[in-house]
Structure formats: structure tokens, C-alpha cells
Amino acid sequence: MHSVSEENYIKTIYHLQEGSALVSTNEIATRMNTKASSVTDMLKKLADKNLAEYIPYRGARLTENGWTCAVQIIRKHRLWEVFLVQKLNFAWDEVHDVAEQLEHIQSRKLINELDKLLGYPKRDPHGDPIPDQHGNFEKTHKTLVSQLNKGDRGTLVGVMDSSSQFLKYLDKHQIQLGTSIQILDREEFDQSFSIQANDKTLQISEQIADNLYLKLQE
Amino acid sequence: MHSVSEENYIKTIYHLQEGSALVSTNEIATRMNTKASSVTDMLKKLADKNLAEYIPYRGARLTENGWTCAVQIIRKHRLWEVFLVQKLNFAWDEVHDVAEQLEHIQSRKLINELDKLLGYPKRDPHGDPIPDQHGNFEKTHKTLVSQLNKGDRGTLVGVMDSSSQFLKYLDKHQIQLGTSIQILDREEFDQSFSIQANDKTLQISEQIADNLYLKLQE
DNA sequence: TTTTATTTTTAGTCTTGTCTAAATATTATT
DNA sequence: AATAATATTTAGACAAGACTAAAAATAAAA
Ligand SMILES: [Mn+2]
Ligand SMILES: [Mn+2]
Ligand SMILES: [Mn+2]
Ligand SMILES: [Mn+2]
């Protein structure tokens, strides 16, 4: 149907797009480690195929069509991630690159049977929701640690960054999905946090706080 | 490492090559539904990468390197086929096209864990042997039905053609791997056979006899 | 052993997806 | 409002992989 490249662009736009706002050429280029000129070319192509709306010099947003397509790719990506962790003993920091390849395999039956094999999971190993066959998925109530205040507490329900580097950092401190976290203090100078996790106190930089999603308690 | 195209060429040459004989440009082109000129281009590229030996106007054969590579692709292809049948409820005639895509996924860990999950199977759903991590696999003693004579009997251990069309034909007559088959008669006129399978007599054309592998009894 | 038929290669073109460098548009700053 | 800085697009090039048509080599037939 669509090429691997087209699919990767569609997915990227989906992830960058908030609501119905336009996503800029440069944002896409940066995220995809490609050049702005390449993005421009592709945006024209996606517009031709009615997958994105493209307004020169302003940016692009997915059409209904493109959105549906993105959700299906994301469904595949996340189901494969669950498969790798649940069935093939991958760690949560090892799955991303492989899923990046597997998400482009074309077979309706394959992905629906995989879904069944895994017991129709609702979340991937990073806490992200998995769309069902029809593209429906739960939107989660979650807040970035960086936006919390002293005293707030909750449990880790997601990570913004799924890179191996970041996830290994969390592993090192035994922080995983479900871990209970409390904000002990916030340093005004560098916006760093002091948090409590696993009965231990931990200093985390703003950058780390920016990648942890909590579900607040009460 | 290698592109999907390169891998498909390597696999095709592997399948066409008998011993150390050269495979002709046209044979490859026919098998791959491509043009001879495209094959020539690719053979040069494979030779440059030391994956094949290419003698202009004569043909090509895999190098040691290319052979190793081919065996790994075939390992992946067949393991994925087993996975699809064993874990995802695919029929043996549905797996080929999907495995054709999956065989190109790059991840050592993925394929070795898949192997483990499946219990280190020795054969794929079509009776073909599955190479292990090191590329070793059993060579099977099998004979085409078309080369047998009246009275010969054996069990089906493989099929030459894995197309959905052919496999569905076998399904229709309840012929599967392990089915016991006896040659009742051979018609000299059109080389067709009369065989016994599942306590029923069946007339099969030469073309069908040419795609069934038996392991002879005693 | 010529001549003919077939196979293979070469030359040139096309598409997809990428890049660099230059041109243009937009945004920010004086 | 003019200028500087930044973002975006265009123009032109390139690599991979495919194709067609023509040329060259090999094999088959007369
Ligand atoms: Mn991808
Ligand atoms: Mn994920
Ligand atoms: Mn393939
Ligand atoms: Mn097979």
C-alpha cells in the first residue's frame, strides 16, 4: 500500500501533531534525522495521496485518511513490542529498533492473530496504549513529572522517551511501570527534582523529569 | 547489512544453484519475475560485494560468503513460517507471502529467541529443513513422485511448490506431510499417475507428481 | 561453416528517496 | 519599517533498483 518511508513520515507527523495544529517541516526533519528539503518533497507526495494536508511555508497535518493509517502502524509497532517482551524475552529497552522494522510488515491476519496470541493487551512495554482493530484506544490521564509540585505523588504509567539509554537509566534505579513515585522537592536553580521511589531518594534532572509520566494519586 | 533486493537475489540463486554449477541470468530473471538486464546489474553488484562469482555471459554462483548469507535468510523464512502456523493459526498455504517479508527483519536476538520459542523445530510447514544458528541442517532423502515406478510407496515429506494454489489442492484431497502414498499405476501417454492416499485412489497429473517429495519405505 | 535464433549485456531512461547549495519566504530584532 | 536571522522551498545531483530497446555474444540449425 504505502512505502516504508511514507509510513515513517506519517507516524512522525502523528506523534508531533497536537490536536489539529500544523507540524513544521523542520520539526519533522529533526525528529527523523533527515533534511528539511527531503521533508518538503515527501509532504507534497503525502498531500497528493490525501494522507496529509500541506500548506507551503506553514506545515502539514494528517488527513482523516492519514490519521487512520498512522494509528494502524502504531498498533502494529506496539503489539510487536509486547510480543518481543512477553514471548521473546526482550527487555523494554531492546524492543524499539526491531519494532521499527516489524511495524511495516503488511498482513491484516498476522497482526490480528498476534493481538489474539498476546491476549489483546491494552498497553505496550512503555505504557503506551495499543489501538484495537478499529483504531480505538484509551487516552490516558498522565502528567509529566516536570510539571508536578512538591508533595505530589503517583505511579509511573509511561515514558516519553523509549530510547535504550533512558530506559537503562530507569532500570539502574529499579524504576519501572507501576513504580510509586513522590515529589520530595524541586530545585529552582536548575529545575531538578528530588523524588522518592522504591523507598529511596533520588535526584533527577529536569530532562529526566521531562520523560516520566505519572498517574496522580487521588 | 544487505538490502532487501540483494537478499532476494541471493536466496534465488541459492535455490537455483545445484552444487557448484553456474546459474544463468535468465533463470534468475524468470524466477524473480524481473528482466534479464536487471539481473545483470545485480550480479555485478553481488560480485563486487563478494557475495557471488559472476562470469559474464556464463552466469553466477554464490561465494562462501553468499552461501552463508542465503542460509541465514532461509533460516529466518522457515522459522517465521513455523511461527505463523504454530502460534498464529495460519494454514500452510497462507504463510509464504508473509514470511517473504519477515525474512528480511534484521535482529540476531529476534530470530534466535523465535527459534527457542518454537522449540528449535527441524522442519518448516512444507517439510523443508531449518538451518540452525550456525547454518547446519539435515539434508533429506526424498524423491519426486514423478520419478517413481509402479508399486513404490512412501510418506509425503515435502513439496516442491509452496504456492497457495497447489497446497489448497492437496488440502482438498487430505494430503499432508506424513500422508502415506503408494504408486498404483503410471499412464505412459501423459505421464499421469494413479496413486493411493488415505485409502482412496487418486489420479494426478505429471505436474503434480513433479511437486511431491516422498521418503521411500524400506 | 555460415546463418539463424536465443541469451546476455549495454545504453539510456524512470521512480523513489535522499542530499547540498541557492533562492525565497517568514519571523524576529533593531 | 528596514534589516537580520531563521525556516522553507526550489533546483540540481546522486544512488538503488527497475525497465525498454539496441548491440553483442553464444548456441543451435541449416
Ligand atoms: Mn519504521
Ligand atoms: Mn513503545
Ligand atoms: Mn523476500
Ligand atoms: Mn516453506
Side-chain angles (χ1 to χ4, degrees), chain B residues 55-70:
Chain B
I55 307 173
Y57 293 103
R58 290 274 103 98
R61 63 166 74 91
L62 294 179
T63 61
E64 179 99 25
N65 238 332
W67 192 84
T68 304
C69 179

Side-chain angles (χ1 to χ4, degrees), chain B residues 116-127:
Chain B
K116 189 203 283 182
L117 174 74
L118 300 171
Y120 304 104
K122 288 265 184 302
R123 306 256 153 202
D124 84 356
H126 312 105

Side-chain angles (χ1 to χ4, degrees), chain B residues 155-216:
Chain B
T155 55
L156 186 68
V157 294
V159 291
M160 168 102 263
D161 176 359
S162 292
S163 74
S164 188
Q165 268 198 327
F166 179 59
L167 298 177
K168 280 203 164 109
Y169 164 86
L170 296 182
D171 283 343
K172 198 162 63 190
H173 296 288
Q174 284 124 48
I175 294 173
Q176 49 199 281
L177 295 186
T179 296
S180 177
I181 288 174
Q182 179 169 19
I183 314 300
L184 297 178
D185 202 5
R186 177 169 200 171
E187 181 56 63
E188 283 307 320
F189 175 62
D190 64 353
Q191 306 296 318
S192 73
F193 286 81
S194 173
I195 66 171
Q196 175 139 29
N198 298 311
D199 303 324
K200 270 172 274 177
T201 300
L202 188 64
Q203 305 299 322
I204 62 172
S205 68
E206 190 194 15
Q207 205 192 332
I208 285 168
D210 242 342
N211 282 297
L212 295 174
Y213 283 118
L214 295 196
K215 180 177 176 186
L216 291 179

Side-chain angles (χ1 to χ4, degrees), chain A residues 108-158:
Chain A
R108 182 64 62 82
K109 174 162 185 164
L110 170 60
I111 203 64
N112 289 337
E113 287 289 337
L114 186 65
D115 200 2
K116 190 203 283 183
L117 174 74
L118 299 171
Y120 305 103
K122 288 267 185 299
R123 307 256 152 201
D124 84 356
H126 312 105
D128 294 311
I130 299 175
D132 69 15
Q133 261 169 295
H134 313 294
N136 303 314
F137 59 95
E138 314 171 345
K139 220 162 261 163
T140 19
H141 271 297
K142 57 187 185 183
T143 321
L144 282 177
V145 167
S146 56
Q147 291 171 340
L148 297 180
N149 302 306
K150 191 168 169 173
D152 288 338
R153 55 162 65 237
T155 56
L156 186 69
V157 294

Side-chain angles (χ1 to χ4, degrees), chain A residues 6-22:
Chain A
E6 286 168 341
E7 290 195 346
N8 284 333
Y9 276 97
I10 290 167
K11 209 179 53 156
T12 301
I13 298 171
Y14 177 92
H15 281 128
L16 290 172
Q17 188 176 328
E18 323 221 314
S20 59
L22 289 168

Side-chain angles (χ1 to χ4, degrees), chain A residues 4 7-8 11 73 77 96-97 99-104:
Chain A
V4 169
E7 290 195 346
N8 284 333
K11 209 179 53 156
I73 300 166
H77 185 102
H96 196 76
D97 295 339
E100 205 60 42
Q101 299 177 61
L102 286 163
E103 72 189 356
H104 303 291

Side-chain angles (χ1 to χ4, degrees), chain B residues 4 7-8 11 73 77 96-97 99-104:
Chain B
V4 168
E7 291 195 345
N8 283 334
K11 209 179 52 156
I73 300 166
H77 184 102
H96 196 76
D97 295 339
E100 204 61 40
Q101 299 177 62
L102 286 163
E103 72 189 357
H104 303 292

